[in-house]
Amino acid sequence: TEQKQALFTIFGATGDLAKRKLYPSLFRLFKKGELADNFAVIGTARRQWTDSFYHEVVLDSIKDLMHSKTEAENFASHFYYQSHDVNDAEHYVNLKNLGERLKAQYKTAGNQVFFLAMAPQFFGVIAEHLKSENILTGEGFERIVIEKPFGNSYATAKTLNDSLSKVFTEEQIFRIDHYLGKEMIQSVSAVRFANPIFESLWNNRHIDNVQITFAEFIGVEERGGYYETSGALKDMIQNHVLQVLSLIAMEKPEKFDEAHIVKEKVKALKAMRQYSSQEALENFIRGQYIAGKFDGENYLGYREEDSVAPDSRTETFAAGKFLIDNERWAGVPFYVRSGKRMTEKGTRINIVFKKEAENLFADNCDDQPVQNVLTIYIQPTEGFSLSVNGKAAGQGFHLEPLRLSFRHDSEFLGNSPEAYEKLFLDVLNGDGTNFSHWEEAARAWELIDVIREAWDGDTSDMPTYTARSMGPQAAFDLLKKDGNEWAWQP
Ligand code: BG6
């Protein structure tokens, strides 16, 4: 590897995200030699920290990854702390001066990466000042990385995007969707396009329905404050789930590169049916977890959690049916569901193939052939499986459902790069394939806003589900209406 040259500036350097994701990911790149001598990091936040205190924080965040103290300390020595008020123009002068010094000292070739690990209401003001205070010089590459949530509706996302676009071009903006950094998400495309047996069946003649499940067993934990303003629909469906859906649904890109993939994903999102408010209520359901007992453990209900209103109407579970009105997918429901405090953690895609119209074996035995299902496992283990029918060994004729499956072993996974690490390397390489683009985010909000508004206007009792279950009854009824069922029912 050739080492990368860059000055990183982190807004929100004292926060949880920086400690949990940014520092460890940068350290992983350091250990692999992607970052070596020619990088420096400026951490900023309101608090007054010294460099040496900052080093302690950075060291603590990487303690599980370090081999040797010298290596870790060498890494931490590239970090500088600058107390900063994002609204105060004068503070950017300090930032610029420090940046100039570090650029020269570490020979970063003028390349700059800005991480905005702060609340989105500050994104605009930061971007503006980077420009007005001449921190952006055009010397090397200049890229900005932003965390979700990208807006809270189409309108707020648009305002946010407009303010960023005054300073950065779309190619310079990297909107993180950390699911796009996960191994198996990327290999959805490999499974599909490298295997003619799947690619030739990837349409409404052969696929009956598609199911995407993002189940979490954790509850809201200490994030009640944020989650109360979000809910499952905005927290998971608008971004992660729709990203995965568009990768499954897109047409084959002319080339497997950013421009072509994004073009196809956007086309797929635009072909998705825009529901009316009535249709949104018919096709989407929500739920909130209530106290429950599982494996001898007691779980609180959502309304009893910290920082959650006792009469909260925030959904902790959302499920629904999307339709795509194009030639490939007409008539194929895309069922999605995501929630907290579900039975177990599991992110998976089930592609349910059509049944054979006639059963050749009807006179030979009573066994009904199972539907072929291709399952793509994303978490916690990665891999895929295919359910098929075979003949049960022995006398007579009986069908036996079998599962061909492949799972990566944990040793492989332990060594494979973490999502954020992969994404940061992409940023340094200027590859935006695995990031969310404005047109994708915009379309996703259009699809979600109508559901959100329909729910907000519905004052009937909040549907509930018991903690550690697979969601409210309505989530099962949703598929039953169509004569289908969830392929995954742990
Ligand atoms: C985040 C959501 O985007 O994704 C969280 O805000 C959720 O609510 C998390 O827990 C799930 O990510 P992962 O990688 O743990 O599956």
Side-chain angles (χ1 to χ4, degrees):
T1 40
E2 201 184 311
Q3 62 157 305
K4 303 284 185 283
Q5 297 171 283
L7 170 66
F8 299 90
T9 304
I10 300 178
F11 293 89
T14 56
D16 189 51
L17 181 80
K19 288 185 243 174
R20 267 186 319 111
K21 301 287 183 185
L22 300 188
Y23 306 142
S25 302
L26 291 174
F27 186 56
R28 283 164 184 268
L29 294 176
F30 181 76
K31 287 210 293 189
K32 291 183 180 158
E34 298 284 357
L35 296 176
D37 303 322
N38 302 131
F39 84 99
V41 181
I42 302 178
T44 82
R46 290 289 291 258
R47 275 176 236 179
Q48 305 280 348
W49 278 7
T50 59
D51 282 348
S52 64
F53 185 73
Y54 189 35
H55 290 175
E56 293 305 314
V57 172
V58 171
L59 286 173
D60 186 59
S61 74
I62 60 171
K63 62 178 183 298
D64 298 336
L65 300 170
M66 59 169 106
H67 286 317
S68 79
K69 219 173 155 212
T70 336
E71 181 189 45
E73 279 171 356
N74 181 5
F75 172 72
S77 74
H78 290 249
F79 285 67
Y80 297 80
Y81 188 81
Q82 175 74 54
S83 162
H84 183 81
D85 174 354
V86 295
N87 291 309
D88 187 338
E90 276 175 33
H91 284 207
Y92 290 82
V93 178
N94 298 335
L95 216 52
K96 183 172 169 69
N97 292 340
L98 177 58
E100 293 298 328
R101 175 159 79 75
L102 298 178
K103 273 188 212 174
Q105 184 178 339
Y106 289 93
K107 302 195 174 53
T108 56
N111 297 329
Q112 298 201 76
V113 178
F114 303 94
F115 285 118
L116 272 43
M118 288 181 74
Q121 71 256 34
F122 301 117
F123 293 176
V125 74
I126 295 172
E128 262 166 47
H129 282 99
L130 292 178
K131 186 174 177 180
S132 66
E133 302 312 311
N134 300 315
I135 290 178
L136 300 175
T137 61
E139 224 181 311
F141 65 67
E142 289 167 332
R143 299 177 182 144
I144 186 163
V145 184
I146 50 195
E147 267 298 324
K148 62 166 280 200
F150 196 77
N152 187 34
S153 62
Y154 176 80
T156 52
K158 173 93 169 61
T159 307
L160 176 56
N161 201 59
D162 287 347
S163 62
L164 289 173
S165 314
K166 282 190 200 134
V167 180
F168 294 98
T169 63
E170 178 67 20
E171 290 69 44
Q172 292 178 295
I173 304 175
F174 292 76
R175 296 177 200 78
I176 294 220
D177 182 314
H178 77 285
Y179 267 81
L180 294 180
K182 295 190 196 253
E183 192 73 42
M184 253 300 152
I185 297 283
Q186 300 182 352
S187 68
V188 166
S189 293
V191 171
R192 180 177 163 193
F193 298 118
N195 297 297
I197 61 164
F198 293 131
E199 178 51 7
S200 59
L201 301 178
W202 216 259
N203 56 54
N204 59 5
R205 290 187 299 288
H206 302 288
I207 292 179
D208 189 274
N209 67 84
V210 175
Q211 306 180 3
I212 303 174
T213 302
F214 278 56
E216 295 188 87
F217 71 82
I218 56 168
V220 66
E221 307 200 295
E222 69 294 340
R223 294 168 73 230
Y226 152 75
Y227 201 79
E228 279 281 271
T229 66
S230 171
L233 186 68
K234 293 183 184 180
D235 188 48
M236 299 294 281
I237 312 276
Q238 188 273 341
N239 39 49
H240 311 317
V241 171
L242 281 174
Q243 278 289 343
V244 171
L245 192 155
S246 66
L247 277 170
I248 298 170
M250 72 177 181
E251 296 298 308
K252 187 175 181 170
E254 243 167 80
K255 282 169 110 190
F256 201 66
D257 64 15
E258 176 178 356
H260 293 90
I261 295 172
V262 172
K263 189 173 113 200
E264 294 307 337
K265 282 166 73 190
V266 169
K267 270 207 300 206
L269 288 166
K270 290 200 168 151
M272 289 175 70
R273 188 174 303 177
Q274 182 69 49
Y275 287 140
S276 66
S277 166
Q278 184 53 36
E279 287 167 331
L281 291 177
E282 280 161 17
N283 290 305
F284 274 80
I285 67 97
R286 56 185 160 158
Q288 193 182 62
Y289 63 83
I290 51 172
K293 199 169 173 160
F294 186 87
D295 261 356
E297 277 227 35
N298 287 310
Y299 294 92
L300 290 179
Y302 178 67
R303 289 179 179 183
E304 286 109 58
E305 302 270 21
D306 276 353
S307 319
V308 171
D311 58 351
S312 170
R313 293 184 58 80
T314 302
E315 81 286 356
T316 59
F317 177 96
K321 170 164 90 173
F322 284 116
L323 293 167
I324 306 181
D325 294 314
N326 62 16
E327 210 179 311
R328 185 184 292 273
W329 296 117
V332 179
F334 280 72
Y335 300 112
V336 301
R337 60 178 168 171
S338 179
K340 297 214 178 271
R341 276 284 183 256
M342 291 176 66
T343 314
E344 59 182 77
K345 169 91 180 174
T347 312
R348 56 175 74 181
I349 302 160
N350 295 106
I351 311 283
V352 182
F353 290 91
K354 290 204 152 115
K355 286 193 189 117
E356 191 69 74
E358 265 175 54
N359 175 8
L360 175 67
F361 308 111
D363 296 337
N364 309 76
C365 63
D366 293 335
D367 309 320
Q368 287 299 319
V370 294
Q371 263 172 293
N372 296 130
V373 180
L374 172 67
T375 302
I376 302 177
Y377 304 92
I378 296 162
Q379 287 183 142
T381 47
E382 307 183 340
F384 36 92
S385 74
L386 182 66
S387 61
V388 294
N389 295 285
K391 179 195 166 293
Q395 284 236 318
F397 190 95
H398 283 285
L399 291 175
E400 183 180 38
L402 302 168
R403 183 174 287 200
L404 312 177
S405 77
F406 168 77
R407 299 267 188 139
H408 283 301
D409 64 34
S410 49
E411 191 186 341
F412 165 81
L413 289 175
N415 293 329
S416 77
E418 209 253 339
Y420 270 78
E421 175 192 349
K422 275 222 283 241
L423 294 174
F424 291 164
L425 192 56
D426 285 350
V427 171
L428 289 167
N429 288 328
D431 182 353
T433 311
N434 294 308
F435 291 81
S436 167
H437 295 69
W438 166 241
E439 281 190 285
E440 300 170 75
R443 179 60 185 150
W445 278 123
E446 284 173 358
L447 292 164
I448 292 305
D449 278 354
V450 56
I451 303 167
R452 183 68 262 164
E453 282 158 23
W455 282 351
D456 288 342
D458 173 6
T459 52
S460 51
D461 278 351
M462 192 69 193
T464 59
Y465 61 102
T466 310
R468 303 299 305 268
S469 72
M470 286 309 273
Q473 183 54 36
F476 297 89
D477 297 344
L478 186 76
L479 275 68
K480 222 189 253 159
K481 273 200 298 200
D482 298 342
N484 292 325
E485 60 180 7
W486 292 106
W488 185 39
Q489 302 203 17

